[in-house]
Coordinates of all heavy atoms in Angstrom, one line a residue:
F1327 N 137.9 60.7 93.2 CA 136.9 61.2 94.2 C 137.2 62.7 94.5 O 138.3 62.9 95.1 CB 136.8 60.3 95.4 CG 135.8 60.9 96.5 CD1 134.5 60.9 96.3 CD2 136.3 61.5 97.6 CE1 133.6 61.4 97.2 CE2 135.4 61.9 98.5 CZ 134.1 61.9 98.3
K1328 N 136.5 63.6 94.0 CA 136.9 65.0 94.2 C 135.9 65.6 95.1 O 134.6 65.5 94.9 CB 136.8 65.8 92.8 CG 137.2 67.1 93.0 CD 137.3 67.9 91.7 CE 137.6 69.4 92.0 NZ 137.0 70.2 91.1
M1329 N 136.2 66.3 96.1 CA 135.2 67.0 97.0 C 135.4 68.4 96.8 O 136.4 69.1 97.0 CB 135.6 66.6 98.4 CG 134.6 66.9 99.4 SD 135.3 66.1 100.9 CE 134.0 66.2 102.0
S1330 N 134.2 69.0 96.4 CA 134.2 70.5 96.3 C 133.3 71.1 97.4 O 132.3 70.4 97.9 CB 133.6 70.8 94.9 OG 132.3 70.4 94.8
F1331 N 133.6 72.4 97.8 CA 132.9 73.1 98.8 C 132.5 74.5 98.3 O 133.4 75.2 98.0 CB 133.7 73.1 100.1 CG 132.9 73.4 101.3 CD1 132.3 72.4 102.0 CD2 132.7 74.7 101.7 CE1 131.5 72.6 103.1 CE2 131.9 75.0 102.8 CZ 131.3 74.0 103.5
D1332 N 131.2 74.6 98.2 CA 130.7 75.9 97.5 C 130.3 76.8 98.6 O 129.2 76.6 99.2 CB 129.5 75.5 96.5 CG 129.1 76.7 95.8 OD1 129.7 77.8 96.0 OD2 128.1 76.5 95.0
Y1333 N 131.1 77.8 98.9 CA 130.7 78.8 100.0 C 129.5 79.7 99.7 O 128.7 80.0 100.6 CB 132.0 79.6 100.2 CG 133.1 78.9 100.9 CD1 134.1 78.5 100.1 CD2 133.1 78.6 102.3 CE1 135.2 77.8 100.8 CE2 134.1 77.9 102.9 CZ 135.1 77.6 102.1 OH 136.1 76.8 102.6
K1334 N 129.3 79.9 98.4 CA 128.1 80.8 98.1 C 126.8 80.0 98.4 O 125.8 80.5 98.9 CB 128.1 81.2 96.6 CG 129.2 82.2 96.4 CD 129.4 82.6 94.9 CE 130.5 83.5 94.6 NZ 130.7 83.7 93.3
R1335 N 126.9 78.8 98.0 CA 125.7 77.8 98.2 C 125.5 77.7 99.6 O 124.3 77.5 100.1 CB 126.0 76.6 97.5 CG 124.7 75.6 97.5 CD 124.9 74.5 96.7 NE 123.6 73.7 96.7 CZ 123.3 72.8 95.8 NH1 124.2 72.4 94.9 NH2 122.3 72.0 95.9
M1336 N 126.5 77.6 100.4 CA 126.5 77.4 101.9 C 125.6 78.5 102.5 O 124.9 78.4 103.5 CB 127.8 77.5 102.4 CG 127.8 77.0 104.0 SD 129.5 77.0 104.6 CE 129.7 78.6 105.1
M1337 N 125.6 79.8 102.0 CA 124.9 80.9 102.6 C 123.4 81.0 102.3 O 122.8 82.0 102.6 CB 125.7 82.1 102.3 CG 127.1 82.2 102.8 SD 127.4 81.6 104.5 CE 126.6 82.9 105.3
K1338 N 122.8 80.0 101.5 CA 121.5 80.2 101.0 C 120.4 79.9 102.1 O 119.3 80.2 102.0 CB 121.3 79.3 99.8 CG 121.9 79.9 98.5 CD 121.3 79.1 97.4 CE 121.9 79.8 96.1 NZ 121.6 79.0 94.9
F1339 N 120.8 79.0 103.1 CA 119.9 78.7 104.2 C 118.7 78.0 103.6 O 117.5 78.2 104.0 CB 119.5 79.9 104.9 CG 120.6 80.6 105.6 CD1 121.0 81.8 105.2 CD2 121.1 80.1 106.8 CE1 122.0 82.5 105.8 CE2 122.2 80.7 107.4 CZ 122.6 81.9 107.0
E1340 N 118.8 77.1 102.7 CA 117.8 76.2 102.2 C 117.7 75.0 103.2 O 118.7 74.4 103.6 CB 117.9 75.8 100.8 CG 117.9 76.8 99.8 CD 118.5 76.5 98.4 OE1 119.1 75.3 98.3 OE2 118.2 77.2 97.4
H1341 N 116.4 74.5 103.4 CA 116.3 73.3 104.0 C 117.0 72.1 103.3 O 116.8 71.9 102.2 CB 114.7 72.9 104.3 CG 114.1 73.7 105.3 ND1 114.0 73.4 106.6 CD2 113.7 75.0 105.2 CE1 113.3 74.4 107.3 NE2 113.1 75.3 106.4
N1342 N 117.9 71.4 104.1 CA 118.6 70.3 103.4 C 118.7 69.1 104.4 O 119.5 68.2 104.1 CB 120.0 70.8 103.0 CG 120.8 71.3 104.0 OD1 120.4 71.3 105.1 ND2 121.9 72.0 103.6
V1343 N 118.0 69.2 105.5 CA 118.1 68.0 106.4 C 116.6 67.4 106.5 O 115.8 68.1 106.8 CB 118.5 68.4 107.9 CG1 118.5 67.3 108.8 CG2 119.9 69.0 107.8
G1344 N 116.6 66.1 106.1 CA 115.3 65.4 106.1 C 114.7 65.2 107.5 O 115.4 65.3 108.6
G1345 N 113.4 64.8 107.5 CA 112.6 64.5 108.7 C 113.3 63.6 109.6 O 113.3 63.7 110.9
K1346 N 113.6 62.4 109.1 CA 114.2 61.4 109.9 C 115.5 61.8 110.5 O 115.7 61.6 111.6 CB 114.4 60.0 109.0 CG 114.0 58.8 109.6 CD 114.1 57.7 108.6 CE 113.6 56.4 109.1 NZ 113.9 55.3 108.3
E1347 N 116.2 62.4 109.6 CA 117.6 62.9 110.1 C 117.5 64.0 111.2 O 118.3 64.1 112.1 CB 118.4 63.4 109.0 CG 119.9 63.6 109.4 CD 120.8 64.1 108.2 OE1 120.4 64.0 107.0 OE2 121.9 64.4 108.5
K1348 N 116.5 64.8 111.0 CA 116.2 65.9 112.0 C 115.9 65.2 113.4 O 116.5 65.8 114.3 CB 114.9 66.6 111.7 CG 115.2 67.8 110.7 CD 113.8 68.4 110.4 CE 113.9 69.8 110.4 NZ 112.7 70.5 110.2
K1349 N 115.2 64.2 113.5 CA 114.9 63.5 114.7 C 116.2 62.9 115.3 O 116.5 63.1 116.5 CB 114.0 62.3 114.5 CG 112.6 62.7 114.8 CD 111.7 61.6 114.8 CE 111.1 61.0 113.5 NZ 110.1 60.0 113.7
Y1350 N 117.0 62.3 114.5 CA 118.3 61.8 115.0 C 119.3 62.8 115.5 O 119.8 62.7 116.6 CB 119.0 61.1 113.8 CG 118.3 59.7 113.3 CD1 118.4 59.3 112.0 CD2 117.6 59.0 114.3 CE1 117.8 58.2 111.6 CE2 116.8 57.8 113.8 CZ 117.0 57.4 112.4 OH 116.3 56.4 112.1
R1351 N 119.2 63.9 114.8 CA 120.2 65.0 115.2 C 119.7 65.6 116.6 O 120.5 65.9 117.5 CB 120.1 66.1 114.2 CG 121.1 65.8 112.9 CD 120.9 66.9 111.9 NE 121.8 66.6 110.7 CZ 122.8 67.2 110.4 NH1 123.3 68.1 111.0 NH2 123.5 66.8 109.3
L1352 N 118.3 65.8 116.6 CA 117.8 66.4 117.9 C 118.1 65.5 119.1 O 118.5 65.9 120.1 CB 116.3 66.6 117.7 CG 115.9 67.8 116.9 CD1 114.5 68.0 116.5 CD2 116.3 69.2 117.6
Y1353 N 117.7 64.2 118.9 CA 117.9 63.2 120.0 C 119.3 63.0 120.4 O 119.8 62.9 121.6 CB 117.2 61.8 119.7 CG 115.8 61.9 119.6 CD1 115.0 61.2 118.7 CD2 115.0 62.7 120.5 CE1 113.6 61.2 118.7 CE2 113.6 62.9 120.4 CZ 113.0 62.1 119.6 OH 111.5 62.2 119.4
G1354 N 120.2 62.9 119.3 CA 121.6 62.7 119.5 C 122.2 63.9 120.1 O 123.1 63.8 121.1
G1355 N 121.9 65.0 119.7 CA 122.4 66.3 120.2 C 121.9 66.5 121.7 O 122.8 66.9 122.6
A1356 N 120.7 66.2 121.9 CA 120.3 66.4 123.4 C 121.0 65.4 124.3 O 121.3 65.8 125.5 CB 118.8 66.1 123.4
A1357 N 121.1 64.2 123.8 CA 121.9 63.2 124.7 C 123.3 63.6 125.0 O 123.8 63.6 126.0 CB 121.9 61.7 123.9
L1358 N 124.0 64.2 123.9 CA 125.3 64.8 124.0 C 125.4 65.9 125.0 O 126.3 66.1 125.9 CB 126.0 65.2 122.8 CG 126.3 63.9 121.8 CD1 126.9 64.5 120.5 CD2 127.4 63.1 122.4
L1359 N 124.4 66.8 125.0 CA 124.3 67.9 125.9 C 124.1 67.4 127.4 O 124.8 68.0 128.3 CB 123.1 68.8 125.6 CG 123.2 69.6 124.3 CD1 121.9 70.3 124.0 CD2 124.3 70.6 124.4
V1360 N 123.3 66.5 127.7 CA 123.2 65.8 128.9 C 124.4 65.3 129.4 O 124.9 65.5 130.5 CB 122.0 64.8 129.0 CG1 122.0 64.1 130.2 CG2 120.7 65.7 128.7
I1361 N 125.1 64.5 128.6 CA 126.3 63.8 128.9 C 127.4 64.8 129.2 O 128.1 64.7 130.2 CB 126.8 62.9 127.9 CG1 125.8 61.7 127.6 CG2 128.2 62.4 128.1 CD1 126.0 60.8 126.4
S1362 N 127.5 65.9 128.4 CA 128.4 67.0 128.6 C 128.3 67.7 130.0 O 129.3 68.2 130.5 CB 128.4 68.0 127.5 OG 127.4 68.8 127.6
L1363 N 127.1 67.8 130.5 CA 126.8 68.4 131.7 C 127.5 67.6 132.9 O 127.9 68.1 133.8 CB 125.3 68.5 131.9 CG 124.7 69.5 131.1 CD1 123.2 69.5 131.3 CD2 125.2 71.0 131.3
F1364 N 127.3 66.2 132.8 CA 127.9 65.4 133.7 C 129.4 65.1 133.7 O 130.0 64.9 134.7 CB 127.1 64.1 133.8 CG 125.7 64.2 134.2 CD1 124.7 64.0 133.3 CD2 125.5 64.4 135.6 CE1 123.4 64.1 133.7 CE2 124.0 64.5 136.0 CZ 123.1 64.4 135.0
T1365 N 130.0 65.2 132.5 CA 131.3 64.9 132.3 C 132.2 66.2 132.1 O 133.4 66.2 132.1 CB 131.6 64.0 131.0 OG1 131.1 64.7 129.9 CG2 130.8 62.8 131.3
A1366 N 131.5 67.4 132.0 CA 132.3 68.6 131.7 C 133.1 68.7 130.6 O 134.2 69.1 130.6 CB 133.0 69.0 133.0
Q1367 N 132.7 68.1 129.5 CA 133.4 68.0 128.2 C 132.9 69.0 127.3 O 131.8 69.0 126.7 CB 133.3 66.6 127.6 CG 134.0 65.4 128.3 CD 135.4 65.6 128.3 OE1 135.9 65.8 127.3 NE2 136.0 65.2 129.5
I1368 N 133.7 70.0 127.0 CA 133.3 71.2 126.2 C 133.0 70.7 124.7 O 132.0 71.1 124.1 CB 134.4 72.2 126.2 CG1 134.6 72.7 127.6 CG2 134.0 73.3 125.1 CD1 133.4 73.5 128.1
L1369 N 133.8 69.7 124.2 CA 133.6 69.3 122.9 C 132.2 68.5 122.7 O 131.6 68.7 121.7 CB 134.8 68.2 122.5 CG 134.7 67.7 121.1 CD1 134.8 68.9 120.0 CD2 135.9 66.7 120.9
L1370 N 131.9 67.8 123.7 CA 130.5 67.2 123.6 C 129.5 68.2 123.6 O 128.5 68.1 122.9 CB 130.3 66.2 124.7 CG 131.1 64.9 124.7 CD1 130.8 64.0 126.0 CD2 130.8 64.1 123.5
L1371 N 129.6 69.2 124.4 CA 128.7 70.3 124.5 C 128.5 71.1 123.2 O 127.4 71.3 122.7 CB 129.2 71.4 125.6 CG 128.2 72.6 125.7 CD1 126.9 72.2 126.4 CD2 128.9 73.6 126.6
L1372 N 129.6 71.3 122.5 CA 129.6 72.0 121.2 C 128.9 71.1 120.2 O 128.1 71.6 119.3 CB 131.1 72.5 120.8 CG 131.7 73.5 121.7 CD1 133.1 73.7 121.3 CD2 130.8 74.7 121.7
V1373 N 129.4 69.9 120.1 CA 128.9 69.0 119.0 C 127.3 68.9 119.3 O 126.6 68.9 118.4 CB 129.5 67.6 119.1 CG1 128.8 66.6 118.1 CG2 131.0 67.8 118.7
G1374 N 126.9 68.7 120.6 CA 125.5 68.6 121.0 C 124.7 69.8 120.5 O 123.7 69.7 119.9
L1375 N 125.3 71.0 120.8 CA 124.6 72.2 120.4 C 124.5 72.3 118.8 O 123.4 72.8 118.3 CB 125.4 73.4 120.8 CG 125.3 73.7 122.3 CD1 126.3 74.9 122.8 CD2 123.9 74.1 122.7
V1376 N 125.5 72.0 118.1 CA 125.4 72.0 116.7 C 124.4 71.0 116.1 O 123.5 71.4 115.3 CB 126.8 71.7 116.0 CG1 126.7 71.5 114.5 CG2 127.8 72.9 116.3
L1377 N 124.4 69.8 116.7 CA 123.3 68.9 116.2 C 121.9 69.4 116.5 O 121.0 69.1 115.8 CB 123.7 67.5 116.9 CG 124.8 66.8 116.3 CD1 125.0 65.5 117.2 CD2 124.6 66.3 114.9
V1378 N 121.8 69.9 117.6 CA 120.4 70.4 118.1 C 120.0 71.5 117.2 O 118.8 71.6 116.7 CB 120.3 70.7 119.5 CG1 119.1 71.6 119.9 CG2 120.4 69.6 120.4
A1379 N 120.9 72.4 117.0 CA 120.6 73.7 116.0 C 120.2 73.2 114.6 O 119.3 73.6 114.1 CB 121.7 74.6 116.2
T1380 N 121.1 72.2 114.1 CA 120.8 71.9 112.7 C 119.6 70.9 112.6 O 118.8 71.1 111.7 CB 122.1 71.1 112.1 OG1 122.3 69.9 112.9 CG2 123.2 72.0 112.0
G1381 N 119.3 70.2 113.6 CA 118.1 69.4 113.7 C 116.8 70.3 113.8 O 115.8 70.0 113.2
Y1382 N 117.0 71.3 114.7 CA 115.7 72.1 114.8 C 115.5 73.1 113.6 O 114.2 73.2 113.2 CB 116.0 73.1 116.0 CG 114.9 74.0 116.3 CD1 113.6 73.5 116.9 CD2 115.0 75.4 116.0 CE1 112.6 74.3 117.1 CE2 113.9 76.2 116.3 CZ 112.7 75.6 116.9 OH 111.7 76.5 117.0
S1383 N 116.5 73.5 113.0 CA 116.3 74.5 111.9 C 116.1 73.8 110.6 O 115.5 74.3 109.6 CB 117.6 75.4 111.7 OG 118.7 74.7 111.3
G1384 N 116.6 72.5 110.4 CA 116.5 71.7 109.2 C 117.4 72.1 108.1 O 117.4 71.8 106.9
W1385 N 118.5 72.9 108.6 CA 119.5 73.4 107.6 C 120.9 73.2 108.1 O 121.2 73.4 109.3 CB 119.4 74.9 107.4 CG 120.5 75.5 106.5 CD1 120.6 75.4 105.2 CD2 121.6 76.3 107.0 NE1 121.8 76.0 104.8 CE2 122.3 76.6 105.9 CE3 122.0 76.8 108.2 CZ2 123.4 77.4 106.0 CZ3 123.1 77.5 108.3 CH2 123.9 77.8 107.2
C1386 N 121.7 72.4 107.5 CA 123.1 72.2 107.8 C 124.1 72.9 106.9 O 124.1 72.7 105.7 CB 123.3 70.7 107.7 SG 125.0 70.2 108.1
P1387 N 125.0 73.8 107.3 CA 125.9 74.6 106.5 C 126.8 73.6 105.7 O 127.1 73.9 104.7 CB 126.6 75.5 107.5 CG 126.2 75.1 108.8 CD 125.0 74.2 108.7
A1388 N 127.3 72.5 106.4 CA 128.2 71.7 105.8 C 127.5 71.0 104.7 O 128.2 70.7 103.5 CB 128.7 70.6 106.8
Y1389 N 126.3 70.5 104.8 CA 125.5 69.9 103.6 C 125.3 71.0 102.5 O 125.4 70.5 101.4 CB 124.1 69.5 104.1 CG 124.2 68.2 104.8 CD1 125.2 67.4 105.2 CD2 122.9 67.5 105.0 CE1 125.1 66.2 105.7 CE2 122.8 66.3 105.6 CZ 123.9 65.6 106.0 OH 123.9 64.4 106.6
S1390 N 125.1 72.2 102.8 CA 124.9 73.2 101.8 C 126.1 73.4 101.0 O 126.1 73.5 99.8 CB 124.5 74.5 102.4 OG 123.2 74.5 102.9
G1391 N 127.3 73.4 101.7 CA 128.6 73.6 101.1 C 129.1 72.4 100.2 O 129.6 72.7 99.1
M1392 N 128.5 71.3 100.5 CA 128.8 70.1 99.7 C 127.8 69.7 98.7 O 127.9 68.8 98.0 CB 129.1 68.8 100.7 CG 130.3 68.9 101.5 SD 130.7 67.5 102.4 CE 129.4 67.6 103.7
G1393 N 126.7 70.5 98.7 CA 125.5 70.2 97.8 C 124.8 69.0 98.2 O 124.0 68.4 97.3
K1394 N 124.7 68.6 99.4 CA 124.0 67.4 99.9 C 122.6 67.8 100.4 O 122.5 68.9 101.0 CB 124.8 66.7 100.9 CG 124.2 65.4 101.4 CD 125.1 64.7 102.3 CE 124.4 63.3 102.8 NZ 125.3 62.6 103.7
N1395 N 121.6 67.0 100.1 CA 120.3 67.3 100.6 C 119.6 66.0 101.0 O 119.4 65.0 100.1 CB 119.4 68.0 99.5 CG 118.2 68.6 100.0 OD1 117.7 68.1 101.0 ND2 117.7 69.4 99.3
T1396 N 119.1 65.9 102.2 CA 118.4 64.6 102.6 C 117.0 64.8 102.7 O 116.2 63.9 103.2 CB 119.0 64.1 103.9 OG1 118.8 65.0 104.9 CG2 120.5 63.7 103.8
C1397 N 116.4 66.0 102.3 CA 115.0 66.2 102.4 C 114.3 65.5 101.2 O 114.8 65.3 100.1 CB 114.7 67.7 102.1 SG 115.0 68.6 103.6
T1398 N 113.1 64.9 101.5 CA 112.3 64.3 100.5 C 111.1 65.3 100.3 O 111.0 66.4 100.9 CB 111.7 63.0 101.0 OG1 110.9 63.2 102.3 CG2 112.8 62.0 101.3
A1399 N 110.3 64.9 99.3 CA 109.2 65.8 98.9 C 108.2 65.8 100.0 O 107.6 67.0 100.3 CB 108.4 65.2 97.6
E1400 N 108.1 64.9 100.8 CA 107.2 64.9 101.9 C 107.6 65.8 103.1 O 106.9 66.5 103.7 CB 107.0 63.4 102.5 CG 106.3 62.5 101.5 CD 107.3 61.7 100.9 OE1 108.3 61.4 101.2 OE2 106.9 61.4 99.6
D1401 N 109.0 65.7 103.2 CA 109.6 66.6 104.2 C 109.4 68.2 104.0 O 109.0 69.0 104.8 CB 111.1 66.5 104.3 CG 111.4 65.1 104.9 OD1 110.7 64.6 105.6 OD2 112.5 64.5 104.5
L1402 N 109.5 68.5 102.6 CA 109.2 70.0 102.2 C 107.7 70.3 102.3 O 107.5 71.4 102.5 CB 109.9 70.1 100.8 CG 111.4 70.0 100.7 CD1 111.8 70.0 99.3 CD2 112.1 70.9 101.7
A1403 N 106.8 69.3 102.0 CA 105.5 69.6 102.0 C 104.8 69.7 103.3 O 103.8 70.2 103.5 CB 104.8 68.6 101.1
A1404 N 105.4 69.0 104.3 CA 104.8 68.8 105.7 C 104.9 70.3 106.4 O 105.8 71.0 106.2 CB 105.6 67.9 106.4
P1405 N 103.8 70.5 107.1 CA 103.8 71.8 107.9 C 104.9 71.7 109.0 O 105.2 70.8 109.6 CB 102.4 72.0 108.5 CG 101.8 70.5 108.4 CD 102.6 69.8 107.4
K1406 N 105.5 72.8 109.2 CA 106.5 72.9 110.2 C 106.1 73.1 111.6 O 105.3 74.0 111.9 CB 107.6 74.0 109.9 CG 108.2 73.9 108.5 CD 109.2 72.6 108.5 CE 109.8 72.5 107.1 NZ 109.6 71.4 106.5

């Protein structure tokens, strides 16, 4: 099992997060943001912000670097 990370591909900003996963990231990130407000945990705040940002934009830099894509044809064809 070899894991490669392509930095050039990471900078392309192509949509690589599918519709279902976008929802999970947005809801999970929002939940972590709310929890971080009550518990004052910086780590939860940062993870929540990253999840909300990647869910909203539909682009994950880690997925780009690893060459992973969860978008389907319907996700790309649907109006944003």
Side-chain angles (χ1 to χ4, degrees):
F1327 178 69
K1328 183 182 176 209
M1329 193 172 192
S1330 64
F1331 199 84
D1332 187 0
Y1333 290 101
K1334 290 178 185 172
R1335 187 173 183 168
M1336 186 177 91
M1337 300 312 291
K1338 283 188 179 179
F1339 299 106
E1340 296 172 340
H1341 286 265
N1342 58 10
V1343 177
K1346 226 177 183 182
E1347 187 178 353
K1348 277 177 135 180
K1349 270 197 267 185
Y1350 294 146
R1351 286 175 181 250
L1352 286 170
Y1353 293 143
L1358 288 177
L1359 289 175
V1360 170
I1361 292 169
S1362 74
L1363 293 175
F1364 292 108
T1365 61
Q1367 294 289 322
I1368 300 297
L1369 183 61
L1370 289 179
L1371 176 73
L1372 293 175
V1373 171
L1375 286 172
V1376 168
L1377 287 175
V1378 168
T1380 56
Y1382 181 74
S1383 69
W1385 176 74
C1386 177
Y1389 276 13
S1390 290
M1392 292 185 288
K1394 185 173 179 181
N1395 189 341
T1396 60
C1397 279
T1398 62
E1400 295 91 31
D1401 293 333
L1402 296 174
K1406 304 288 183 240

